[in-house]
Amino acid sequence: MRYIKDMTKYEGLNGWERISLSDWVRNITNKYSDRIAIVDSQREVTYRELDREIDEIAYGLYKLGIAPKDKVIVQIPNRLSFVITLFAVIRIGAIPILALPAYRETEIEGIIKVASPKAYIVAEKYMGFDYLPMAKRIKEESSSLEFLIVDGERGGDYLIKDIIISGREVMDSGNGSEDFFTKSDGYDTGVLLLSGGTTGVPKLIPRTHTDYLYNGRMSALKCRADSNSVYLAALPIAHNFPLCCPGIIGILDVGGKVVLASNTTPDEILNLISEEKVTITALVPAMLNLCLEMSEWDEDIDISSLEILQVGGAMLEESLAQKVIDSWSDCKLMQVFGTAEGLLCFTDLSDDDEVVVNCQGKPISEADEVKIVDSDLKEVPRGEFGELLSRGPYTIPGYFNADEVNRISFTEDGFYRTGDRAMWTEEGNIRMGGRIKEQINRAGEKITPSEVEALLCQNERIKEAVVVGVPDEELGFRSCSFILSEDGEEFEREEIYHFLKNKGLAGYKIPDQVENIDVWPLTSVGKIDKKQLVKLAQNVFE
Ligand code: OOB
């Protein structure tokens, strides 16, 4: 018998509200009406305008025939249309699946297989990539997709801008009303987030309206965010971190302003902090490194408005944490350990620098149940490393439509197995210590080696391939593939790059380094010795 999560047991928690995210948007609109809600590189909208634009697309999507509970893939980069489309899908009672702009055929087709979505809403172009040919191919191959909707000027079956016009007609005719859409219950699935690590089939994370709002609210509380807060969404907003930790949702909940960075370059990030007087932002360590460097030599950059810098998604080296504290002394560093599955740990704004440098803080909710266990799932003493497990108000009890994976990733009693090594410190904080389950954390994006290995082995000339994570100064870890060829001929990285790109794999999963090998180094029990491979990969550069 699988564990069933009882949401009612969390009723009474401060910040817990049984409400749909659509009704929540109505509430914040009534509260903060003419304040600026969101700014992107093109324009800004007030809360009231945001709500109205959500309605326009929602009526348009409804007229098209998208029904409650239908799944809709949303693949749009950091711009206003992402936020408006996301909440429009939610408003009609449908369920958005948040896809990263970096996803290609492999990832999108994987999502389709698991979730049978009815619509795919995709940006026309971003960062030089034309999504249309890919999206059309995907739609042709899929039996579930009925609508290809494009955020842009051309292509697909429908354009967002035409859907807006059609939605406006409903509203102008006076036929639109509050009862038009089917209301979702706060305990229904509100969004499907994507898990970083996939093993062939992507893992979809069903977050309920209520738990996701709670996630954003508790995060905002920990950051002491209020209506004067200006949040910069610097990471891709399909990620949980910038979307809801506190991110867009947590900041809008307190009436603050959200600024969307259209790309993740240090130039864009630092200039927006200066221009928009940003008070809080979230970065991964690899981006932080570049931003620190740039702020040192560019004198026009003024980051004096920045009060809180959240850093998470991957291990933050102590030396880099110390560098932030020394160089950006007016702002508070907050370490964030987070997962899209739920659990969030933040260091506290009142913690001493030494604590902030050395750990990833405490769970953000009093109702979080966090355990650190050995391989028999028994708790280990404080100060010892084990696997981090979590259950609680906003942590999922299982992935969507994935019984087999759930048996491995969750305990019988409903704890999520993060696959991360962690320990409790003296002060009761958690300190992370790398991965237990195989996964490469490349600048915050997660790669599962077996997914890449399986694709590589589809190459006729490849007999065996092993992918490992190699410590890297800039990326945290880079990925390196070792190749044993069928014919003894060596592979260049170029060839591997094109092969995997043609297979439709997201760019960040393509190995940064390619090495050829004749004989595998083996462990004493005869398995491929991956530690040895990592050393080999490092030695090439020494
Ligand atoms: C965030 O979420 P995901 O789902 O992309 O990745 C979660 C994994 C964790 O299991 C852990 O392996 C790693 O990312 N991680 C960290 C970390 N924060 C996340 N490893 C070491 N130190 C940290 N501070 O990455 C995410 C979601 C919400 C907020 C922040 C990050």
Side-chain angles (χ1 to χ4, degrees):
M1 198 30 206
R2 295 291 315 165
Y3 169 84
I4 294 169
K5 182 168 171 176
D6 175 13
M7 303 279 281
T8 58
K9 108 175 177 206
Y10 301 112
E11 288 170 0
L13 280 176
N14 175 29
W16 186 264
E17 192 178 1
R18 187 167 184 168
I19 180 184
S20 76
L21 286 166
S22 176
D23 286 346
W24 167 75
V25 174
R26 296 270 193 239
N27 292 350
I28 54 170
T29 301
N30 289 333
K31 241 168 142 177
Y32 310 119
S33 48
D34 293 320
R35 295 185 64 92
I36 300 295
I38 307 185
V39 182
D40 76 1
S41 61
Q42 307 291 317
R43 62 193 186 107
E44 57 182 37
V45 291
T46 64
Y47 282 78
R48 203 190 297 284
E49 286 161 346
L50 178 69
D51 188 50
R52 182 181 165 90
E53 293 193 26
I54 292 170
D55 265 339
E56 288 171 349
I57 299 190
Y59 283 112
L61 291 176
Y62 181 88
K63 255 171 74 180
L64 213 58
I66 297 176
K69 307 278 183 229
D70 282 346
K71 318 282 182 312
V72 178
I73 302 178
V74 178
Q75 188 179 30
I76 303 177
N78 289 15
R79 52 172 94 124
L80 254 165
S81 53
F82 173 100
V83 184
I84 297 167
T85 309
L86 169 70
F87 286 107
V89 171
I90 292 174
R91 184 150 287 170
I92 60 175
I95 304 174
I97 304 175
L98 301 190
L100 290 176
Y103 286 174
R104 298 293 180 259
E105 266 109 324
T106 297
E107 291 81 15
I108 302 290
E109 280 168 357
I111 294 172
I112 293 176
K113 221 185 268 169
V114 186
S116 307
K118 192 147 175 202
Y120 178 18
I121 307 183
V122 64
E124 182 187 337
K125 273 198 182 118
Y126 177 61
M127 302 289 277
F129 183 71
D130 185 355
Y131 289 81
L132 268 183
M134 168 180 95
K136 284 187 179 156
R137 277 199 302 274
I138 289 174
K139 191 187 159 213
E140 258 165 42
E141 302 266 306
S142 155
S143 55
S144 74
L145 273 186
E146 284 178 37
F147 307 103
L148 174 59
I149 303 169
V150 174
D151 180 30
E153 293 305 314
R154 66 184 177 104
D157 309 327
Y158 303 91
L159 294 177
I160 286 277
K161 59 180 190 181
D162 295 331
I163 289 179
I164 292 175
I165 294 171
S166 128
R168 250 182 226 156
E169 279 167 17
V170 180
M171 293 168 76
D172 294 344
S173 68
N175 290 336
S177 82
E178 207 36 48
D179 304 325
F180 200 86
F181 307 116
T182 311
K183 276 199 178 293
S184 305
D185 185 314
Y187 293 172
D188 289 343
T189 297
V191 289
L192 284 164
L193 301 178
L194 259 298
S195 161
T198 62
T199 34
V201 207
K203 291 181 279 185
L204 297 178
I205 301 170
R207 302 291 301 259
T208 66
H209 298 264
T210 294
D211 90 62
Y212 211 42
L213 180 56
Y214 179 73
N215 186 117
R217 276 192 179 151
M218 291 311 290
S219 302
L221 194 68
K222 293 285 165 196
C223 294
R224 300 184 197 153
D226 60 24
S227 60
N228 295 316
S229 298
V230 181
Y231 178 86
L232 177 70
L235 298 163
I237 53 184
H239 271 305
N240 187 25
F241 198 4
L243 184 59
C244 202
C245 307
I248 297 174
I249 293 177
I251 294 297
L252 293 183
D253 189 55
V254 293
K257 176 165 110 177
V258 172
V259 178
L260 304 178
S262 59
N263 61 63
T264 51
T265 59
D267 198 36
E268 168 90 350
I269 293 168
L270 293 172
N271 279 312
L272 282 174
I273 295 177
S274 298
E275 284 161 21
E276 299 285 344
K277 305 261 173 295
V278 168
T279 62
I280 168 168
T281 191
L283 298 178
V284 292
M287 276 160 67
L288 170 63
N289 210 351
L290 299 173
C291 288
L292 271 176
E293 271 175 29
M294 185 171 163
S295 73
E296 271 164 19
W297 56 258
D298 190 335
E299 285 168 6
D300 292 337
I301 301 285
D302 172 16
I303 57 148
S304 59
S305 60
L306 198 63
E307 293 164 10
I308 298 176
L309 174 66
Q310 294 181 295
V311 181
M315 291 291 261
L316 176 61
E317 292 284 329
E318 282 173 36
S319 57
L320 186 55
Q322 192 58 52
K323 202 166 150 195
V324 180
I325 290 172
D326 296 339
S327 317
W328 292 3
S329 49
D330 293 339
C331 108
K332 254 300 188 192
L333 171 67
M334 174 186 270
Q335 285 220 44
V336 172
F337 166 81
T339 63
E341 284 80 357
L343 180 66
L344 298 173
C345 297
F346 291 5
T347 55
D348 199 88
L349 291 175
S350 63
D351 282 338
D352 292 339
D353 287 348
E354 204 197 313
V355 173
V356 175
V357 167
N358 285 300
C359 73
Q360 284 67 44
K362 296 187 174 71
I364 61 164
S365 164
E366 63 197 271
D368 278 319
E369 299 169 75
V370 175
K371 289 201 282 194
I372 296 177
V373 300
D374 61 19
S375 52
D376 296 326
L377 300 179
K378 288 216 177 66
E379 287 196 61
V380 300
R382 179 180 300 244
E384 270 179 37
F385 277 112
E387 185 185 2
L388 183 68
L389 263 52
S390 138
R391 182 171 77 176
Y394 59 98
T395 296
I396 56 160
Y399 294 107
F400 174 78
N401 202 3
D403 289 346
E404 219 170 292
V405 180
N406 287 341
R407 271 192 287 279
I408 304 165
S409 303
F410 294 83
T411 64
E412 291 271 308
D413 52 353
F415 277 83
Y416 167 55
R417 303 187 65 159
T418 63
D420 292 312
R421 255 162 60 84
M423 63 172 238
W424 292 112
T425 67
E426 277 305 310
E427 316 85 36
N429 288 302
I430 61 152
R431 179 181 296 151
M432 305 308 296
R435 292 281 306 167
I436 295 170
K437 284 190 207 159
E438 253 187 90
Q439 191 173 78
I440 302 168
N441 191 326
R442 182 187 186 275
E445 299 290 4
K446 318 300 180 314
I447 307 167
T448 304
S450 57
E451 183 189 20
V452 185
E453 288 162 0
L455 277 180
L456 283 169
C457 288
Q458 289 179 16
N459 185 311
E460 289 179 341
R461 283 186 46 229
I462 295 179
K463 192 167 177 190
E464 278 176 281
V466 174
V467 176
V468 292
V470 183
D472 183 279
E473 239 173 64
E474 274 156 30
L475 298 167
F477 285 91
R478 64 174 182 270
S479 68
C480 174
S481 71
F482 280 87
I483 310 249
L484 181 68
S485 74
E486 282 284 1
D487 51 14
E489 287 286 316
E490 300 210 327
F491 277 85
E492 295 286 332
R493 172 163 191 275
E494 187 83 1
E495 199 176 343
I496 296 293
Y497 173 85
H498 288 294
F499 177 73
L500 291 176
K501 196 162 170 250
N502 288 337
K503 286 272 164 202
L505 189 68
Y508 66 85
K509 296 182 189 169
I510 298 180
D512 301 293
Q513 186 182 349
V514 171
E515 299 297 336
N516 294 280
I517 200 153
D518 304 323
V519 200
W520 295 110
L522 299 177
T523 63
S524 54
V525 291
K527 286 191 186 168
I528 293 179
D529 188 344
K530 295 196 177 168
K531 282 192 189 135
Q532 203 56 42
L533 291 179
V534 174
K535 276 193 198 146
L536 281 172
Q538 281 173 308
N539 287 343
V540 177
F541 288 98
E542 276 165 12

